[in-house]
Amino acid sequence: MPYFRSEPQKADFLKLEEGILARWAREKTFERSVDRREGRDKFVFVEGPPTANGLPHPGHILTRVVKDLVLRYKTMRGFYVRRKAGWDTHGLPVEIEVEKELGISTKREIEIYGIEKFNRKCKESVFRYEKEWVNATKRVGFWIDMDDPYITFDNKYIESVWWSLKEIWKKGLLYKGHKVVPFCPRCETTLSSHEVAQGYQDVEDPSVYVKFKLKHEKDPEPLYLLAWTTTPWTLLGNIALAVHPLHRYVKVRVKEGAEEAVLILAEARLDVLEGEYEILEQFTGKDLEDLEYERLFDYAKVEGGKSHKVITADFVTLEEGTGVVHIAPAFGEVDYEVCREKKLGFSQPVNSEGRFTNEVPPLEGMFVKDADKLIIEMLKEQGSLYKEGRYLHSYPFCWRCNSPLLYYARESWFIAMSALRDNLLANNEKINWYPKHLKYGRFGNFLENIEDWALSRERFWGTPLNIWICTSCGKQYCVASIEELREKAKNSVSLGIDLHRPYIDDVVLKCEECGSDARRVKDVIDCWYDSGSAPFAQWHYPFEDEEFNQNFPADFITEAIDQTRGWFYSLLGVSTAIFDAPPYLNVLSLGHILDEKGVKMSKSKGNVVDINDIFNTDGADALRWYLFTAGPLTEDIRFSVSAIREKQNKFLNTLWNSYFFFVTYATIDNFSPKGKNIPVEKRSAIDRWIVSRLNTLTKDVIDALERFEIHVAVRKLEEFVIADLSNWYIRRSRRRFWIVEENFDKDCAYLTLYEVLVALCKLLAPFVPFITEHIYQNMVRGVSEDELESVHLCDYPTPDESLIEIELEDSMELVSRLVEAGRRARSDAGIKVRQPLREVVVVCGEGEKEKAASLAGILQDELNVHGVKFEEGVAAAENYNQVEVDEGTTLFLDISLDNTLIEEGLVRDIVRRIQGMRKDRDLEYTAKIRIMYEGDEAVKEAIKKFQDYICAETLAVGIEEGSSSAKGEQIYEKNWKIGKKDIHLAIEFV
RNA sequence: GGGCUCGUAGCUUAGCAUGGUUAGAGCGCUCGGCUGAUAACCGAGAGGUCCGGAGUUCAAAUCUCCGCGGGCCCA
């Protein structure tokens, strides 16, 4: 009974993977791989929660397999690696999906539909594609606990978030502010800066140069300030014009059609003028201060201070525009600030849907961006337009609904992150970033300039902001738990209350100060705060504190680069505000998956590759290996389906074939590694060499993985499998496996190949978990049931330094270079390798001689020569083809032939033909044949002389001259021409 | 406009941190060879302004600066 199960020469990876998935499910391999490390050092991971209301795409798969690789590796290294899945379930993306489904698009419509029903729909919708996510996650082999995930809409999760907000509130960092904030007019809510960052697009906007007429009673000629804007609609809210106090401004006379006009603008911006101009006067911006001008449009009410005058401000630049900046406090952050500072007025002619109010009758109800055209017409009519054009710039759009954002003065709740800037920076110091440039580059810069976090959302489906305000005295309450809510509520609150709107809106607190009702602020919070709370909220901290205490901070997180200011930031922000500690110690930022042309994959472009197609044609291991080898993962990957196939062919097939080779011959030979203990130092040089290479590889792979240089690790592994193991070790050692009788060297070969394959399997297990499991099952479990039940339960190999023989590796490398040189020498002479030659002479230094001499047999074999000589100094070169190998090393190949050599070559050709015929007929490797031959005299003579050799090589029981009497299925005949000689060969199957 | 990042053969890329052989592979192409594990492999050939320019240096794909182009992030 053979020890190993036979395998097909060609692997069916899809079927194989399916079988492995079933095995893992049956044997609970994942759970056991985690549990058996309990009590060991922890390696803490936090899953960045995906939103399951869309299908997973290749980018998600990339992060999932990278997470999986690292976590499997760390587990095999002996760490206790918990892996809790998570789902991000709140926020605008979800609401928008539901709105689409219901065919509605405004907040009012949602309110009419009913918040209760609406939120129920939201809750249903977030798991719409859960099945697809779970399937893809399992299919690609990502081991994560999806049976007990954290879900951001869970009451427990919300309770933890509430607790954290109260901590922030208690520190006085949570405040209500009136600020100009990015605002989505469609979603009718404020967006945070990191959300805005998601949605910049290049767009063409109008570019208008507008004349503001100065109130200049003495001078009969009208004088205008020339200002520039790309948002004409904001002109309706104009309150002031700003100039730089120190820059030089000029008064110029310009032609305007048939007429002339006198304008004021910055000297450095004169090139915006059309045609010729005459400079009338020069002064500085300061000289313009406090000049009053006439309103462009006398519609919107202006509240508060004095307006419509020139102010000076440092933020005015001369890089574009006219050096005169139009100021509308309702629509710009700096505008708002400067107006407040200078005690100017305020005017808000636009409502929260981004439409003009009835203060502006000609534009009432019109969406501001749509009004631009009309406004330009109005400017033209009243002669206020100097010129207009188009302007290409990037402008923020809502990251989910794609509406252009407006900057709009709103009341919002903020976390005072700017007050925590130093803490953020200090905590960032404790984090290792991969790639490292992010630490002080993109991320560090962002922290340096951190702004307060606009936390509140005037929406429905989200964690409700846990602030209650007394309707009469204005006292604020922040509630940290359900228990506290029950204590403070006027009405009775059940323990099982759903903390979402609208239920929470009905809970009224009794004001401790005045006894009046305190009502909850209607807002919900930014869902990025939800996911940023994952390190503690996934464990329901502090209501249950055990898990959190043991799992904070995380050792490792990884997501794509766009999370720099998304999750990577929200984690750090929340954690800094509450614990003043970094929430993760190592963060690996991955590049994006682009399509074959280098364009980011997105639904709207229709260039998203369907991952299920890949699972169904190439398999998970091929996809994983491709992704890992596609270059540094910190950079973008151009996704190529054909490259996946190439990887499968080259790498997985070569690995399979190495394994197949072993199993095939081990089965024939009934080889078992059991009880065979041959110390490595007793084995042949090539055995010691591959063992040495394996240990070097092990060291390199571990080094690379510890630095998250995954592409380096896979490159080393691939080189080893293809070049060292398959193309050199196995090819060179083949004959040792073909020896029929018991033989020490054969055992060494088997044992070595066995040990290398098993170790390799473990090294590769985190990368390609399916094929390695399959191989392990046959090679290890097939031999002994006492072994661990899965490769993924094993320890990761560690290098045995005592088995690394650098000199031997060097020598082998030199030999392979000599082989290359010898082949070139043959090729130059037009003599094929099958033709034996007399000798090769290597002229080299003492060191090289010493190195290569021990492996001379390999050189002799590879170059098919009868002898190898090493000499110092130059040898006679007649009849020798000469090839330079290295400096000081030259190879001389004797290319002279005699009859014996020619005969030997002929015999090898014949053997080759017979082997080819065996293969044509798919003969078993052990099947015996009988050979009949006819042909030229020279051929017959050669065969007779070497018949024993031919028989041994081709497993023939006899070889005879003449034609065969066998018929049909029993015989295979063919005519050959070798050089100029004819030969007829027949093989009979016996 | 600013920050970060990338740019190497038709395509995918290694090398760049720490400057030092003739810039190395794979796919594809041409020719030849090897092969009883291999859809693999080996040799030769064609294919490179290492994005361009300047600088530092005995020496630059590698370091610096300035451009150009792509990407991401921000204004």
Side-chain angles (χ1 to χ4, degrees):
Chain A
M1 207 18 211
Y3 291 92
F4 303 105
R5 190 182 63 247
S6 292
E7 292 281 13
Q9 179 150 2
K10 180 89 183 87
D12 181 344
F13 290 115
L14 298 183
K15 216 175 115 198
L16 181 157
E17 290 180 359
E18 205 176 283
I20 296 297
L21 284 170
R23 172 188 291 274
W24 287 342
R26 196 169 61 235
E27 298 182 353
K28 300 205 173 310
T29 316
F30 163 47
E31 291 79 356
R32 288 168 57 205
S33 77
V34 176
D35 292 345
R36 70 189 298 268
R37 308 291 183 175
E38 207 171 338
R40 303 286 295 273
D41 285 349
K42 286 192 164 62
F43 182 79
V44 178
F45 165 73
V46 182
E47 161 77 338
T51 312
N53 76 333
L55 288 169
H57 69 76
H60 296 119
I61 297 300
L62 172 69
T63 57
R64 292 181 109 53
V65 298
V66 171
K67 287 169 185 176
D68 187 59
L69 163 63
V70 172
L71 302 182
R72 282 181 193 261
Y73 165 72
K74 287 291 179 181
T75 300
M76 290 181 80
R77 294 278 286 173
F79 289 93
Y80 180 44
V81 187
R82 301 272 302 268
R83 282 163 248 183
K84 194 179 180 65
W87 298 108
D88 198 8
T89 54
H90 280 151
L92 268 179
V94 183
E95 291 194 25
I96 286 163
E97 281 300 309
V98 173
E99 282 181 26
K100 275 188 204 152
E101 191 187 316
L102 297 173
I104 59 178
S105 61
T106 65
K107 279 164 75 174
R108 190 157 311 138
E109 283 172 303
I110 293 170
E111 275 156 7
I112 291 164
Y113 179 80
I115 298 175
E116 185 175 9
K117 269 159 71 191
F118 182 79
N119 274 357
R120 200 182 308 134
K121 285 256 178 211
C122 287
K123 192 168 178 174
E124 286 162 17
S125 118
V126 289
F127 286 123
R128 179 162 305 157
Y129 295 103
E130 186 192 15
K131 213 178 87 205
E132 283 79 359
W133 274 87
V134 169
N135 286 347
T137 301
K138 286 190 172 160
R139 182 63 190 85
V140 81
F142 179 29
W143 275 358
I144 188 158
D145 180 7
M146 288 182 291
D147 295 333
D148 180 28
Y150 69 88
I151 301 170
T152 58
F153 71 48
D154 261 5
N155 256 15
K156 281 183 174 179
Y157 197 97
I158 292 173
E159 202 177 23
S160 286
V161 171
W162 273 15
W163 163 81
S164 71
L165 284 170
K166 183 158 186 182
E167 290 298 301
I168 292 171
W169 179 79
K170 284 197 290 198
K171 293 178 186 174
L173 296 170
L174 186 62
Y175 68 93
K176 184 168 83 172
H178 192 80
K179 270 196 180 178
V180 173
V181 286
F183 183 84
C184 175
R186 198 217 64 88
C187 305
E188 289 179 73
T189 186
T190 307
L191 298 181
S192 67
S193 53
H194 37 277
E195 283 174 304
V196 177
Q198 308 269 326
Y200 275 84
Q201 288 171 30
D202 278 341
V203 285
E204 214 182 54
D205 270 324
S207 158
V208 297
Y209 291 83
V210 183
K211 298 187 301 184
F212 287 84
K213 188 174 180 189
L214 282 171
K215 289 183 179 168
H216 215 256
E217 284 139 18
K218 290 171 198 160
D219 198 333
E221 189 174 34
L223 179 58
Y224 299 95
L225 279 161
L226 189 65
W228 176 71
T229 181
T230 56
T231 48
W233 61 269
T234 60
L235 291 170
L236 277 296
N238 175 272
I239 290 295
L241 291 170
V243 296
H244 196 285
L246 303 175
H247 291 149
R248 299 196 60 78
Y249 286 78
V250 289
K251 186 155 114 183
V252 292
R253 185 184 302 280
V254 295
K255 286 234 164 63
E256 230 190 337
E259 293 165 32
E260 290 188 332
V262 182
L263 307 176
I264 293 174
L265 73 163
E267 187 175 32
R269 301 300 306 160
L270 278 167
D271 56 355
V272 307
L273 298 177
E274 303 281 320
E276 288 174 12
Y277 55 83
E278 180 193 350
I279 296 177
L280 305 175
E281 222 180 298
Q282 294 187 334
F283 32 80
T284 62
K286 185 83 184 154
D287 299 328
L288 297 168
E289 193 167 15
D290 290 333
L291 290 180
E292 293 180 28
Y293 61 89
E294 290 174 13
R295 288 189 82 180
L296 278 182
F297 302 109
D298 205 9
Y299 293 116
K301 275 184 291 204
V302 179
E303 288 162 8
K306 185 98 179 107
S307 296
H308 311 113
K309 59 175 198 172
V310 177
I311 57 171
T312 58
D314 292 335
F315 60 75
V316 176
T317 70
L318 298 178
E319 274 147 10
E320 52 188 6
T322 61
V324 180
V325 175
H326 140 66
I327 300 290
F331 309 122
E333 194 176 347
V334 269
D335 306 39
Y336 183 86
E337 289 301 324
V338 76
C339 288
R340 199 169 61 173
E341 202 179 295
K342 306 248 177 189
K343 298 191 167 49
L344 301 173
F346 183 85
S347 147
Q348 178 53 288
V350 174
N351 70 14
S352 65
E353 290 176 32
R355 297 174 189 281
F356 281 103
T357 61
N358 58 11
E359 290 180 24
V360 191
L363 302 169
E364 187 182 347
M366 196 177 271
F367 183 61
V368 293
K369 285 264 175 190
D370 299 332
D372 277 346
K373 254 191 182 157
L374 204 57
I375 294 165
I376 293 170
E377 282 307 312
M378 288 158 66
L379 289 170
K380 243 184 231 168
E381 265 171 45
Q382 67 186 52
S384 302
L385 187 71
Y386 173 67
K387 70 169 183 179
E388 64 165 317
R390 306 293 291 173
Y391 183 73
L392 189 70
H393 62 154
S394 56
Y395 190 86
F397 288 76
C398 180
W399 64 299
R400 281 296 166 170
C401 77
N402 217 32
S403 308
L405 299 183
L406 305 180
Y407 284 83
Y408 194 87
R410 305 279 307 173
E411 231 172 43
S412 290
W413 289 81
F414 294 86
I415 300 175
M417 296 312 295
S418 56
L420 297 172
R421 200 190 61 171
D422 292 346
N423 306 59
L424 290 167
L425 289 168
N427 287 330
N428 187 37
E429 280 301 320
K430 298 172 191 153
I431 297 169
N432 297 313
W433 282 85
Y434 304 89
K436 62 171 180 274
H437 61 77
L438 288 174
K439 181 169 183 164
Y440 299 113
R442 187 180 290 197
F443 195 69
N445 288 340
F446 176 60
L447 296 181
E448 292 275 358
N449 301 306
I450 201 67
E451 286 173 27
D452 289 353
W453 184 341
L455 183 74
S456 55
R457 296 290 178 278
E458 298 151 68
R459 297 294 308 187
F460 308 98
W461 177 239
T463 299
L465 182 60
N466 49 336
I467 302 274
W468 274 256
I469 296 177
C470 174
T471 48
S472 109
C473 73
K475 187 176 165 61
Q476 276 186 22
Y477 297 87
C478 186
V479 172
S481 65
I482 292 176
E483 201 188 321
E484 189 182 347
L485 191 65
R486 282 157 59 87
E487 272 168 25
K488 294 194 169 145
K490 272 177 107 170
N491 31 357
S492 87
V493 172
S494 85
L495 269 174
I497 181 181
D498 181 341
L499 293 175
H500 286 97
R501 298 186 72 189
Y503 315 107
I504 196 67
D505 301 340
D506 296 335
V507 177
V508 178
L509 307 190
K510 186 176 178 183
C511 179
E512 291 163 0
E513 296 289 317
C514 68
S516 305
D517 289 354
R519 293 192 175 273
R520 197 186 71 84
V521 168
K522 286 285 177 281
D523 299 352
V524 297
I525 66 164
D526 181 5
C527 61
W528 289 98
Y529 188 96
D530 284 353
S531 53
S533 303
F536 56 90
Q538 67 173 325
W539 306 117
H540 194 213
Y541 182 84
F543 308 97
E544 300 164 60
D545 60 1
E546 175 80 18
E547 296 281 14
F548 171 74
N549 290 337
Q550 292 185 20
N551 289 288
F552 185 87
D555 291 296
F556 172 71
I557 59 170
T558 181
E559 302 294 337
I561 178 87
D562 53 277
Q563 296 300 329
T564 310
R565 298 181 189 203
W567 196 53
F568 296 157
Y569 170 65
S570 68
L571 280 173
L572 180 68
V574 173
S575 180
T576 299
I578 298 162
F579 307 110
D580 194 17
Y584 46 86
L585 301 176
N586 295 285
V587 51
L588 172 61
S589 159
L590 307 177
H592 286 133
I593 299 262
L594 312 177
D595 71 5
E596 283 190 295
K597 293 181 192 120
V599 179
K600 191 175 168 177
M601 280 189 193
S602 69
K603 244 191 261 171
S604 56
K605 286 182 189 123
N607 60 351
V608 179
V609 172
D610 185 348
I611 45 163
N612 286 313
D613 287 350
I614 292 165
F615 292 143
N616 294 331
T617 51
D618 307 279
D621 278 342
L623 175 61
R624 291 170 68 115
W625 194 257
Y626 163 70
L627 290 171
F628 296 145
T629 51
L633 295 176
T634 50
E635 282 165 36
D636 292 349
I637 295 173
R638 284 197 189 194
F639 195 83
S640 154
V641 175
S642 60
I644 298 173
R645 303 227 160 106
E646 194 188 315
K647 282 297 166 193
Q648 192 185 53
N649 272 341
K650 273 183 91 93
F651 177 70
L652 291 180
N653 275 343
T654 306
L655 177 64
W656 179 265
N657 281 319
S658 303
Y659 156 70
F660 171 75
F661 176 88
F662 174 84
V663 170
T664 303
Y665 287 99
T667 303
I668 291 169
D669 260 332
N670 235 350
F671 169 83
S672 166
K674 250 192 201 163
K676 293 228 165 54
N677 278 313
I678 305 172
V680 173
E681 67 265 23
K682 295 224 169 101
R683 306 183 198 174
S684 68
I686 196 161
D687 292 338
R688 285 186 286 114
W689 171 78
I690 193 74
V691 168
S692 177
R693 290 289 305 127
L694 174 73
N695 281 283
T696 301
L697 171 74
T698 305
K699 206 165 79 174
D700 291 347
V701 168
I702 290 172
D703 282 354
L705 286 181
E706 290 298 325
R707 292 192 309 270
F708 300 110
E709 288 183 356
I710 294 165
H711 67 294
V712 173
V714 285
R715 206 162 51 233
K716 303 262 183 199
L717 285 160
E718 197 164 273
E719 269 169 28
F720 179 83
V721 169
I722 295 172
D724 295 339
L725 181 63
S726 174
N727 286 339
W728 197 249
Y729 179 75
I730 295 182
R731 188 165 65 81
R732 286 296 332 142
S733 302
R734 267 186 298 203
R735 297 189 153 262
R736 304 165 68 199
F737 294 90
W738 297 343
I739 298 163
V740 176
E741 62 274 12
E742 282 304 304
N743 174 294
F744 174 74
D745 185 56
K746 183 169 81 172
D747 277 349
C748 289
Y750 269 120
L751 202 55
T752 303
L753 181 54
Y754 180 80
E755 288 164 356
V756 169
L757 279 171
V758 170
L760 180 62
C761 213
K762 293 175 185 173
L763 282 176
L764 284 170
F767 299 88
V768 279
F770 296 92
I771 188 175
T772 50
E773 180 76 297
H774 180 89
I775 294 174
Y776 178 89
Q777 290 301 328
N778 195 16
M779 290 194 68
V780 178
R781 291 280 292 167
V783 172
S784 168
E785 294 276 315
D786 301 336
E787 297 286 343
L788 290 165
E789 282 146 302
S790 162
V791 69
H792 304 291
L793 301 177
C794 296
D795 286 344
Y796 208 64
T798 48
D800 181 344
E801 300 277 352
S802 73
L803 295 176
I804 296 179
E805 298 182 55
I806 295 296
E807 307 77 32
L808 181 58
E809 292 191 29
D810 283 354
S811 303
M812 193 63 88
E813 212 198 301
L814 176 62
V815 167
S816 81
R817 275 207 310 282
L818 289 170
V819 169
E820 262 176 47
R823 294 223 178 99
R824 213 176 321 142
R826 277 181 167 274
S827 182
D828 293 346
I831 300 174
K832 57 190 176 186
V833 178
R834 218 178 288 127
Q835 173 61 59
L837 291 172
R838 195 168 289 120
E839 71 165 359
V840 65
V841 180
V842 178
V843 175
C844 59
E846 185 61 34
E848 280 70 30
K849 182 177 169 179
E850 222 167 85
K851 271 188 191 174
S854 64
L855 301 169
I858 293 175
L859 188 57
Q860 179 173 340
D861 228 38
E862 285 287 316
L863 290 181
N864 194 16
V865 290
H866 287 314
V868 175
K869 270 197 272 187
F870 292 92
E871 278 177 13
E872 290 170 54
V874 183
E878 188 150 353
N879 282 331
Y880 283 71
N881 252 23
Q882 174 180 347
V883 171
E884 176 143 356
V885 182
D886 291 316
E887 204 181 331
T889 305
T890 310
L891 178 136
F892 295 87
L893 182 70
D894 181 353
I895 55 168
S896 62
L897 292 173
D898 60 22
N899 285 338
T900 315
L901 289 172
I902 292 168
E903 211 164 47
E904 285 172 10
L906 184 59
V907 167
R908 288 197 53 164
D909 264 319
I910 292 165
V911 168
R912 163 79 195 108
R913 300 300 193 278
I914 297 167
Q915 302 289 36
M917 290 170 74
R918 289 184 65 112
K919 202 176 179 182
D920 282 351
R921 282 305 167 99
D922 271 335
L923 287 195
E924 292 290 325
Y925 296 119
T926 49
K928 306 279 193 212
I929 55 168
R930 190 186 317 278
I931 303 165
M932 303 293 289
Y933 65 91
E934 288 172 290
D936 294 355
E937 272 314 305
V939 175
K940 293 198 281 200
E941 209 172 297
I943 292 178
K944 276 194 193 108
K945 209 186 272 180
F946 289 94
Q947 58 179 333
D948 290 347
Y949 169 77
I950 297 172
C951 287
E953 287 293 304
T954 61
L955 289 186
V957 292
I959 179 161
E960 280 170 51
E961 191 184 337
S963 56
S964 171
S965 53
K967 293 253 158 36
E969 292 297 301
Q970 287 309 305
I971 187 165
Y972 178 44
E973 304 184 72
K974 230 172 161 177
N975 283 312
W976 297 98
K977 208 170 178 74
I978 299 173
K980 286 181 182 148
K981 303 179 184 77
D982 286 310
I983 177 167
H984 176 84
L985 288 169
I987 57 177
E988 294 174 18
F989 314 130
V990 294

